[in-house]
Amino acid sequence: FQTTDSGNLVLKSRHFHGDTVKFSDRPFTYEEEISTESFFDSFDYTFNADNGGKPNAAITLVQNDESKDVVVSVFVKAVVKHKDDPDGPTYVYKLEQSDEQDSVTSLSDVMGGKDKMTYDHCSIFIDSAGAQDCVPYVCCVCCGCADGPGPECCVCPGCADGPGPECC
């Protein structure tokens, strides 16, 4: 975690796993593994005003093999920096908290009064990573869009109500 010069709080790392698992909420049982870079590249498409906005995310924090905390935040932006760096890209999430999220576990508490805080390990669970986008994305895959989600591939012929499992 780091506070930027402009005062924004970000979660950044060069050590994200190379793949991200997307899965749906119940009652669907959809699951897909995509590259983390592709997930970041499609973040604004996946989480936009038309499908619910930016997601909440729970971040588990581990230090010295001990679970330290769980913090929930809104991921308002996702960026991949230094893609051509020989040490690998840097993945960055810009974070903001609602008052309710802040009242449970504050990002400032996680920072411990510092501008930068490093943990040994974290896991990130993003709400709605599939709930709003899963069915359209399934449709995209079924409709043969090899490059991933995009407005041009999520139009299924003959599906007047938009993409859905019945389209595929």
Side-chain angles (χ1 to χ4, degrees), residues 5-83:
D5 292 338
S6 58
N8 295 314
L9 191 62
V10 297
L11 169 63
K12 72 179 199 173
S13 179
R14 288 182 179 226
H15 304 288
F16 275 45
H17 192 276
D19 293 316
T20 293
V21 176
K22 291 173 59 173
F23 60 95
S24 63
D25 290 330
R26 294 178 301 149
F28 302 106
T29 57
Y30 172 76
E31 179 182 355
E32 178 186 12
E33 192 171 285
I34 63 171
S35 76
T36 296
E37 190 168 326
S38 293
F39 181 79
F40 271 73
D41 288 344
S42 66
F43 185 84
D44 286 335
Y45 170 79
T46 303
F47 303 105
N48 62 59
D50 292 335
N51 65 18
K54 299 305 181 191
N56 294 311
I59 308 162
T60 64
L61 306 172
V62 177
Q63 189 73 18
N64 298 323
D65 291 329
E66 183 180 324
S67 178
K68 290 296 186 185
D69 222 328
V70 176
V71 63
V72 177
S73 174
V74 177
F75 280 18
V76 295
K77 187 171 187 166
V79 177
V80 182
K81 295 184 174 185
H82 314 295
K83 288 184 179 185

